[in-house]
């Protein structure tokens, strides 16, 4: 057994005891956060030491906070975090790592596994920053994956759609609203105060840990929602932020997806398809094919006899325009979400349906539609607390691509009016000019957070710098590291430098990935590929 495994076993029972102590404290501490002796309970930290092969030494712990800071009668909950003091202390502010999602988390096992890998990952970043700075990883309150008490259920469920009818975003929205309302009633019975699971409570949890350790300033590292969390902290506590590294950036008013941003990625894929010898495009082109399919299915949905090998039985399904729209941005075959492999298969997916081969799409519907959908609860609560300004929503709905892709934000619109978390105001969402040094990393083929997000945000940060990863997806940092061995050095140099404005002059503005290896649209079909992979 390795030392890491021994450390895990040795700390495991002790940490479970720590959780028991926290549980007892949460029961005996009054809701106002004070015990009978008048000592403050809110902000109490309980910790357990950790050692990862001597490369990261520190602690994991809990900080006790109110579930709802706006309610004096609120019960106490815990927020889980890790803290690793600097190996060579310099007195520089700590780096706070903010996971994405919402709903993502970093666990002890994740750190163990990540540090065993030789290639770049987030834990290589953590180790690099930890040389001269304390590193603090803050997990989101209520996350069911992390240790602690008063966890929210991870998901809520929605009843399935009907095979005999084409998918409709409107009808799906109604089912979402019904399912979410039913789930909220269950939480009322369990005495959860869901008003406390919003973006401002996440921000204040970070600040509670900052204050508990006496840090005056901090540096922030976040990707995707983690970047939004960091920007929310900057908005609420601007004087406490020294610098930031953000990837897959989401400004505060950009939580709603942009149809135009998604369409721009499709345009880039079409450009590569035109240059490819493997893809044979119709006269209308790849995006012309998308428009043609949507127009065709809007006029007349198609009935298909389909089959999915995982289910093992055939079924009749009706495919409409929203079915096609829905799967346009979903993983294809066994590709991962946000992967370049998914984009490499995308032209083949479109062109098969353009040629009226619906077998693969029918198989996906058979596999997905008859089962209850499981929606991330923390994501629903936190994202709806950010909402969107009326100006931004109007702009999104007037984008030309909205006609073809439909409303990519139907999930939020279906659930926002029944979500109990308070919503931030328009002033909070607005971008304002900041002198905070910031390093941005963003891929040009990012379907989740469009590249245009980073370009626009950079205008508000005069001391900012953007690394454009040409051909990168939402995993742009991993793509960049795969082709540029100095990528981690760029990040650590920016974080370590006493003069970040000078440091960014030595960091490239662009990292170029190889062209996509687009799959031929002739030969084996996607459905046959699916069948072979299931055998």
């Amino acid at each position: 057994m390795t030392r890491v495994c021994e450390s895990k076993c040795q700390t495991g029972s002790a940490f479970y005891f720590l959780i028991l102590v926290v549980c007892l404290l949460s029961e005996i501490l009054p809701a106002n956060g004070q015990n009978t002796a008048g000592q403050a309970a809110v902000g109490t930290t309980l910790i357990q030491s950790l050692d990862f092969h001597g490369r990261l030494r520190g602690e994991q712990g809990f900080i006790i906070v109110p579930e709802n800071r706006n309610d004096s009668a609120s019960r106490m909950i815990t927020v889980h975090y890790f803290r690793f003091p600097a190996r060579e202390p310099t007195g520089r502010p700590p780096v706070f790592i903010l996971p994405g999602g919402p709903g993502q988390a970093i666990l002890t096992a994740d750190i163990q596994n990540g540090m065993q890998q030789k290639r770049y990952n987030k834990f290589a970043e953590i180790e690099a920053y930890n040389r001269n700075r304390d590193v603090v990883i803050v997990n989101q309150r209520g996350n069911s994956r992390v240790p602690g008490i008063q966890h929210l259920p991870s998901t809520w469920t929605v009843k399935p759609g009907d095979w005999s009818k084409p998918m409709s975003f409107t009808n799906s929205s109604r089912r979402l609203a019904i399912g979410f309302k039913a789930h909220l009633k269950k939480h009322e019975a369990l005495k959860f105060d869901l008003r406390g699971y919003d973006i401002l409570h996440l921000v204040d949890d970070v600040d509670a840990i900052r204050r508990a350790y006496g840090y005056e300033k901090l540096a922030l590292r976040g990707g995707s929602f983690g970047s939004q969390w960091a920007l929310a902290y900057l908005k609420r506590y601007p004087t406490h932020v020294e610098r930031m590294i953000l990837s897959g950036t989401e400004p505060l008013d950009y939580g709603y997806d942009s149809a135009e941003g998604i369409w721009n990625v499709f345009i880039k894929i079409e450009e590569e398809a035109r240059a490819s010898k493997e893809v044979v495009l119709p006269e209308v082109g790849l995006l012309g094919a998308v428009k043609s399919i949507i127009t065709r299915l809007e006029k007349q949905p198609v009935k298909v006899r389909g089959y999915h090998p995982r289910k093992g039985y055939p079924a009749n399904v009706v495919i409409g325009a929203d079915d096609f729209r829905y799967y346009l941005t979903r993983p294809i075959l066994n590709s991962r979400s946000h992967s370049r492999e998914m984009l490499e298969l995308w032209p083949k997916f479109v062109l098969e349906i353009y040629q009226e081969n619906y077998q693969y799409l029918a198989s996906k519907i058979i596999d997905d539609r008859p089962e209850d959908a499981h929606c991330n609860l923390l994501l629903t609560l936190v994202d709806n607390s950010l909402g969107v300004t009326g100006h931004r929503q109007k702009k999104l709905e007037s984008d030309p691509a909205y006609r073809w892709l439909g409303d990519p934000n139907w999930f939020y619109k279906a659930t926002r009016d029944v979500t109990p978390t308070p919503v931030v105001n328009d002033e909070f969402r607005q971008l304002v000019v900041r002198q905070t040094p910031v390093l941005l990393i963003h891929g040009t083929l990012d379907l989740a957070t469009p590249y245009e997000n980073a370009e626009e945000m950079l205008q508000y940060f005069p001391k900012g710098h953007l690394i454009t990863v040409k051909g990168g997806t939402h995993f742009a940092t991993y793509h960049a590291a795969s082709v540029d061995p100095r990528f981690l050095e760029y990040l650590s140099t920016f974080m370590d430098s006493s003069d970040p404005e000078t440091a960014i002059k030595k960091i490239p503005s662009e990292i170029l990935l190889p062209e996509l290896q687009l799959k031929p649209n002739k030969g084996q079909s996607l459905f046959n590929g699916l069948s072979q992979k299931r055998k």
Side-chain angles (χ1 to χ4, degrees):
M1 185 177 289
T2 65
R3 182 179 173 187
V4 169
C5 290
E6 290 172 352
S7 173
K8 181 180 179 182
C9 293
Q10 289 169 359
T11 61
S13 59
F15 203 62
Y16 285 130
F17 175 74
L18 186 62
I19 293 173
L20 176 60
V21 171
V22 174
C23 291
L24 292 173
L25 282 174
S26 70
E27 293 297 325
I28 64 174
L29 292 174
N32 63 8
Q34 303 229 335
N35 62 19
T36 54
Q39 298 172 326
V42 174
T44 299
T45 57
L46 300 103
I47 60 175
Q48 172 66 46
S49 62
L50 292 173
D51 187 339
F52 297 94
H53 284 300
R55 292 165 58 188
L56 281 178
R57 288 194 176 104
E59 63 214 23
Q60 67 173 325
F62 305 111
I63 186 166
I64 298 174
V65 295
E67 186 173 36
N68 184 350
R69 291 181 171 91
N70 300 316
D71 185 347
S72 60
S74 174
R75 66 178 176 180
M76 297 297 111
I77 64 171
T78 57
V79 173
H80 177 258
Y81 66 93
F82 296 92
R83 177 176 174 269
F84 302 104
R87 300 190 302 276
E88 301 173 17
T90 60
R92 292 174 182 161
V95 180
F96 273 57
I97 308 291
L98 306 181
Q104 293 181 8
I106 295 177
L107 310 178
T108 303
D110 298 326
I111 301 173
Q112 291 170 338
N113 295 333
M115 295 191 70
Q116 291 173 1
Q117 298 175 13
K118 297 186 182 300
R119 63 181 183 275
Y120 162 85
N121 57 41
K122 70 181 74 175
F123 305 106
E125 276 193 50
I126 290 170
E127 187 176 7
Y129 303 149
N130 188 232
R131 177 179 176 181
N132 297 131
R133 294 176 183 256
D134 293 1
V135 171
V136 179
I137 303 169
V138 183
N139 281 316
Q140 297 151 16
R141 59 167 47 211
N143 194 316
S144 60
R145 294 185 59 215
V146 303
I149 58 170
Q150 312 297 7
H151 289 141
L152 297 175
S154 59
T155 61
W156 54 279
T157 57
V158 184
K159 292 300 180 183
D162 186 344
W163 277 349
S164 65
K165 297 178 182 178
M167 181 180 187
S168 159
F169 290 164
T170 300
N171 292 338
S172 296
S173 295
R174 294 193 189 103
R175 288 189 291 107
L176 281 169
I178 292 170
F180 193 41
K181 286 178 181 178
H183 199 79
L184 292 176
K185 287 183 179 179
K186 294 179 182 178
H187 279 78
E188 289 177 8
L190 294 172
K191 306 301 182 182
F192 281 101
D193 189 345
L194 297 183
R195 297 171 299 171
Y197 297 87
D198 64 334
I199 187 63
L200 295 184
H201 273 83
L202 294 185
V203 166
D204 289 344
D205 290 342
V206 171
D207 202 60
I209 296 172
R210 178 194 66 79
R211 288 183 281 107
Y213 284 96
Y215 296 127
E216 177 57 29
K217 287 183 176 289
L218 46 78
L220 295 170
R221 173 66 175 103
S224 191
F225 169 73
S227 72
Q228 208 169 33
W229 190 0
L231 290 168
Y233 186 91
L234 176 67
K235 188 79 171 188
R236 196 159 170 86
Y237 300 106
T239 60
H240 291 305
V241 181
E242 183 221 20
R243 69 188 72 186
M244 303 187 296
I245 297 179
L246 308 177
S247 55
T249 310
E250 276 192 299
L252 294 173
D253 197 24
Y254 286 59
Y256 276 36
D257 293 327
S258 163
E260 198 71 12
I262 295 169
W263 195 260
N264 288 340
V265 173
F266 294 162
I267 289 174
K268 294 181 177 72
I269 297 173
E270 180 176 48
E271 290 171 353
E272 293 205 33
R274 289 189 182 280
S276 171
K277 297 179 181 179
E278 300 293 334
V279 180
V280 180
L281 295 179
E283 187 175 339
V284 296
L286 191 56
L287 296 189
V290 170
K291 293 178 180 179
S292 176
I293 294 165
I294 290 170
T295 302
R296 187 170 73 210
L297 292 175
E298 285 177 336
K299 289 181 179 178
Q300 183 62 57
V302 296
K303 186 175 182 179
V304 179
R305 183 71 170 172
Y307 173 84
H308 194 288
R310 186 171 76 89
K311 292 293 168 57
Y313 55 81
N316 292 325
V317 297
V318 178
I319 298 174
D322 282 349
D323 288 291
F324 178 63
R325 290 182 174 115
Y326 179 79
Y327 285 99
L328 269 177
T329 55
R330 296 302 187 277
I332 302 168
L333 291 180
N334 63 341
S335 64
R336 294 178 62 196
S337 184
H338 310 309
S339 67
R340 278 168 57 91
E341 183 185 4
M342 169 188 161
L343 302 184
E344 290 168 346
L345 287 161
W346 191 80
K348 186 175 182 70
F349 171 74
V350 171
L351 294 174
E352 282 191 359
I353 297 175
Y354 178 70
Q355 294 164 355
E356 301 189 57
N357 178 353
Y358 296 99
Q359 287 303 308
Y360 175 76
L361 180 54
S363 72
K364 292 295 293 181
I365 293 170
I366 291 170
D367 195 37
D368 294 343
R369 193 179 292 176
E371 297 176 356
D372 287 353
H374 297 274
C375 304
N376 185 311
L377 177 58
L378 199 55
L379 180 148
T380 309
L381 297 172
V382 176
D383 277 0
N384 278 331
S385 76
L386 277 161
V388 65
T389 62
H391 174 77
R392 172 75 176 165
Q393 181 171 318
K394 185 177 180 180
K395 178 182 181 302
L396 294 175
E397 293 175 353
S398 63
D399 284 344
Y402 193 87
R403 156 69 184 94
W404 301 109
L405 298 181
D407 188 351
N409 301 298
W410 56 276
F411 174 88
Y412 294 131
K413 292 179 182 178
T415 56
R416 64 186 180 184
D417 290 340
V418 295
T419 301
T421 46
V423 183
V424 299
N425 58 34
D426 284 359
E427 187 280 328
F428 188 84
R429 300 187 189 101
Q430 295 295 334
L431 281 166
V432 296
V433 176
R434 300 283 188 190
Q435 297 303 318
T436 309
V438 60
L439 178 62
L440 305 175
I441 307 104
H442 215 114
T444 57
L445 299 181
D446 192 334
L447 286 169
T449 55
Y451 174 70
E452 292 78 12
N453 286 6
E455 287 186 309
E456 182 163 349
M457 192 178 124
L458 191 64
Q459 301 173 35
Y460 292 86
F461 287 84
K463 297 180 181 179
H465 182 74
L466 169 61
I467 301 177
T468 297
V469 185
K470 296 199 73 172
T473 71
H474 204 51
F475 294 150
T477 53
Y478 293 87
H479 299 319
S482 71
V483 299
D484 189 337
R486 297 186 61 193
F487 178 70
L488 180 56
E489 181 184 332
Y490 304 147
L491 306 190
S492 58
T493 296
F494 174 81
M495 195 64 82
D496 288 342
S497 175
S498 58
D499 184 3
E501 289 183 81
T502 300
I504 61 177
K505 295 177 181 178
K506 301 177 182 179
I507 297 174
S509 297
E510 183 179 294
I511 295 177
L512 179 63
L513 300 184
E515 293 181 351
L516 293 172
Q517 300 299 305
L518 300 176
K519 306 305 178 187
N521 54 315
K522 293 187 176 181
Q524 178 177 266
S525 70
L526 290 174
F527 177 74
N528 288 338
L530 177 68
S531 299
Q532 288 183 2
K533 290 180 184 301
R534 289 288 179 177
K535 289 180 180 178

